Amino acid sequence: MLQSKLFTKTLREAPKDEESVNAKLLTRGGYIYKNSAGVYSFLPLGWRVIKKIADIIREEMNAVGGEEIFMPALVEKKYWDATNRWNVPVGYEVFGKNEDETSFILGWSHEDLLTAMVTKFINSYKDLPFSAYQIQTKFRNEPRAKSGLLRGKEFMMKDLYSFHTDEADLNKYYERVAKAYHKIFKRCGLKSIYTLAAGGDFTTGNTHEFQVLSDVGEDTIYVCEKCGYAENNEISKLKDEGPCSRCRGKINAHKAIEVGNIFPLGTKYSKAVNLKFKDKNGEEKLVVMGSYGIGLGRVMGTIVEVYNDERGLIWPEQVAPFKVHLIELAGSSAKKIYEKLRKLGIEVLYDERDISAGAKFSDADLIGLPYRVVVSPKTGKKFELKKRSSKAIKLVSEAELIKLLKS
Ligand code: ATP
Ligand code: MG
């Protein structure tokens, strides 16, 4: 893409009303725009990142057999009444203008709606197990929305729901999804820690969170140095520097960001809506369920919190909006190599703007694409190649450049 065509502009200064590093850098780089506190637009660069994260999530959800669906954001009162969740305070209530004054909540989760729908499709054990997921907008009344993409009033979530004949089958699938989650976060450049946690507004039992260590995290988790076992302090009896309950290794307390959460729901929702199936002996039983969430914006914000320096963003390659920032300096043209790289399927942001070299370099550092390639009268037939994550600059031939960027 030609950089002159981007309708967004980079900003030298972060907006005064942003406190978090992710919001400051993403706003300065032209990735996001704050419309209201906790409500953001994704601009062309930012939307490309979200789509990359979504692609990774889709691949891994499809790999565990999830069927993609798309449910409405407007969820009528009767569904929340059935599961006794109408009064959970995070929901935004919306009154219809129609004569019956039907009430809705903007969906903050979708167990209630999906479970009710599924009663129409499940009769026998032969219909189980299955799982369905969506990537959709959720709405939650978050009073302190000051963490940029980490905590929005409106945010995109991937939510997967699974349906089983019994606990054993749920547990097997739960572990499969947990593995898929670690893979998703790893592919996004994040190291996730599997952490025992409370059930929140979803379930009375324990759940598991995927936590990424970061000083800006709102959670405190206790992690064993030796075996890696971790618990969220909201439920934990472990102590900082105390012994691990599993292996007696040393526990350390850390600040962390919850990027994902998975829930063994058991029969809580199926009981509420009478979701039953006939087993092999013709006996009626309640369906056993699980649910599994990842916030896409929170993942993006977490990546930014982990990968940045004083000059800007440093995207891991798999989620970068483009792989290469191609910069042409006055007196040269990078058009030929731009076309070549594009034909090879390499994603390039081509800075052909008529501005100073310094401004181009500081934009490249701020935007943070993995590779910077400079063409200038000084480089002759060669190209100056630099990784955003390192200081080393290499002068390479066209063949070398293509080989490096293709790998
Ligand atoms: P938190 O404890 O951070 O408020 P939660 O436990 O209520 O979050 P879940 O219901 O577990 O959130 O949601 C699943 C996932 O959705 C979270 O792990 C997180 O990645 C994301 N998420 C939740 N709330 C928000 C939010 N307000 N903004 C952005 N992402 C969110
Ligand atoms: Mg959670």
Side-chain angles (χ1 to χ4, degrees):
M1 163 160 210
L2 303 181
Q3 197 163 343
S4 65
K5 298 282 186 244
L6 273 178
F7 75 81
T8 55
K9 303 259 183 316
T10 55
L11 303 173
R12 287 217 175 281
E13 303 285 333
K16 295 218 160 39
D17 59 346
E18 291 290 14
E19 293 174 16
S20 67
V21 168
N22 76 86
K24 281 182 181 166
L25 288 178
L26 289 169
T27 305
R28 286 187 54 211
Y31 284 81
I32 60 171
Y33 185 95
K34 177 153 99 177
N35 302 103
S36 305
V39 183
Y40 288 90
S41 291
F42 290 93
L43 301 172
L45 292 175
W47 187 239
R48 289 179 76 101
V49 176
I50 287 288
K51 283 195 286 185
K52 297 237 161 130
I53 295 170
D55 285 347
I56 290 171
I57 292 176
R58 279 204 176 88
E59 270 178 43
E60 299 303 336
M61 288 298 97
N62 293 342
V64 296
E67 297 176 63
E68 187 167 3
I69 59 175
F70 190 78
M71 288 182 267
L74 280 178
V75 183
E76 203 183 330
K77 185 168 188 291
K78 63 181 181 186
Y79 297 107
W80 306 99
D81 281 341
T83 55
N84 204 17
R85 295 214 291 181
W86 175 252
N87 288 318
V88 174
V90 297
Y92 287 103
E93 191 176 337
V94 180
F95 288 98
K97 293 254 185 309
N98 40 331
E99 58 201 16
D100 64 356
E101 284 291 308
T102 322
S103 304
F104 293 85
I105 284 180
L106 293 172
W108 55 271
S109 194
H110 280 82
E111 284 82 4
D112 321 75
L113 190 68
L114 181 59
T115 313
M117 273 197 277
V118 158
T119 57
K120 304 284 184 261
F121 302 109
I122 293 180
N123 298 308
S124 123
Y125 68 93
K126 289 179 191 155
D127 301 323
L128 297 166
F130 76 94
S131 57
Y133 74 97
Q134 64 174 348
I135 293 178
Q136 212 241 26
T137 306
K138 298 273 189 274
F139 301 85
R140 293 187 185 178
N141 192 359
E142 302 277 7
R144 304 170 311 279
K146 288 186 181 157
S147 319
L149 293 186
L150 299 182
R151 183 171 296 286
K153 289 172 185 286
E154 171 177 333
F155 61 96
M156 253 175 283
M157 195 200 283
K158 183 286 301 170
D159 39 333
L160 170 79
Y161 304 88
S162 72
F163 300 84
H164 309 267
T165 52
D166 52 40
E167 291 281 339
D169 195 56
L170 165 67
N171 293 341
K172 235 175 32 199
Y173 189 70
Y174 190 83
E175 275 172 27
R176 241 180 111 194
V177 176
K179 280 206 184 106
Y181 265 41
H182 281 305
K183 215 164 147 194
I184 287 167
F185 299 125
K186 191 168 173 206
R187 289 180 64 183
C188 291
L190 298 174
K191 185 178 180 303
S192 53
I193 298 174
Y194 195 57
T195 307
L196 191 71
D201 291 310
F202 296 90
T203 177
T204 47
N206 284 334
T207 71
H208 289 91
E209 294 171 342
F210 293 77
Q211 296 275 2
V212 174
L213 299 188
S214 163
D215 289 339
V216 305
E218 288 182 18
D219 287 14
T220 300
I221 62 171
Y222 294 125
V223 188
C224 174
E225 277 184 358
K226 199 167 151 202
C227 72
Y229 178 69
E231 291 183 359
N232 192 312
N233 82 331
E234 63 187 5
I235 58 152
S236 185
K237 292 196 176 71
L238 298 174
K239 287 205 169 63
D240 191 20
E241 307 206 338
C244 171
S245 54
R246 298 250 162 128
C247 75
R248 317 305 295 168
K250 186 177 154 205
I251 294 290
N252 294 311
H254 300 273
K255 285 277 173 210
I257 303 170
E258 176 202 319
V259 286
N261 202 174
I262 62 177
F263 306 80
L265 300 173
T267 55
K268 175 177 159 131
Y269 296 89
S270 51
K271 201 184 275 165
V273 303
N274 204 29
L275 172 59
K276 286 185 171 164
F277 69 99
K278 279 202 177 70
D279 73 4
K280 281 188 179 136
N281 307 316
E283 202 180 309
E284 282 211 320
K285 290 199 168 135
L286 288 170
V287 171
V288 176
M289 291 174 55
S291 79
Y292 316 81
I294 296 181
L296 280 74
R298 189 174 289 183
V299 168
M300 179 169 164
T302 303
I303 295 169
V304 174
E305 295 290 343
V306 174
Y307 296 100
N308 71 78
D309 63 15
E310 66 291 345
R311 286 170 297 144
L313 301 155
I314 309 173
W315 292 108
E317 211 170 306
Q318 315 85 294
V319 295
F322 294 90
K323 183 168 182 173
V324 180
H325 208 146
L326 177 62
I327 294 178
E328 99 190 353
L329 299 185
S332 62
S333 169
K335 197 157 179 244
K336 254 174 63 192
I337 191 72
Y338 173 59
E339 292 302 342
K340 258 192 197 157
L341 293 175
R342 267 192 0 149
K343 284 208 180 89
L344 290 166
I346 297 167
E347 294 174 310
V348 183
L349 182 63
Y350 173 22
D351 191 351
E352 28 58 286
R353 296 172 303 168
D354 191 12
I355 58 170
S356 75
K360 290 190 177 194
F361 288 142
S362 61
D363 268 3
D365 282 341
L366 175 59
I367 291 171
L369 304 182
Y371 296 93
R372 189 186 81 186
V373 175
V374 178
V375 175
S376 78
K378 268 203 291 192
T379 56
K381 282 206 153 95
K382 296 211 164 181
F383 301 88
E384 201 187 276
L385 176 68
K386 183 187 164 300
K387 277 192 180 177
R388 176 63 179 87
S389 58
S390 111
K391 287 208 158 64
I393 296 178
K394 261 205 242 174
L395 208 57
V396 295
S397 69
E398 184 180 303
E400 286 168 317
L401 179 73
I402 287 174
K403 198 171 152 215
L404 267 161
L405 294 179
K406 262 174 72 181
S407 63

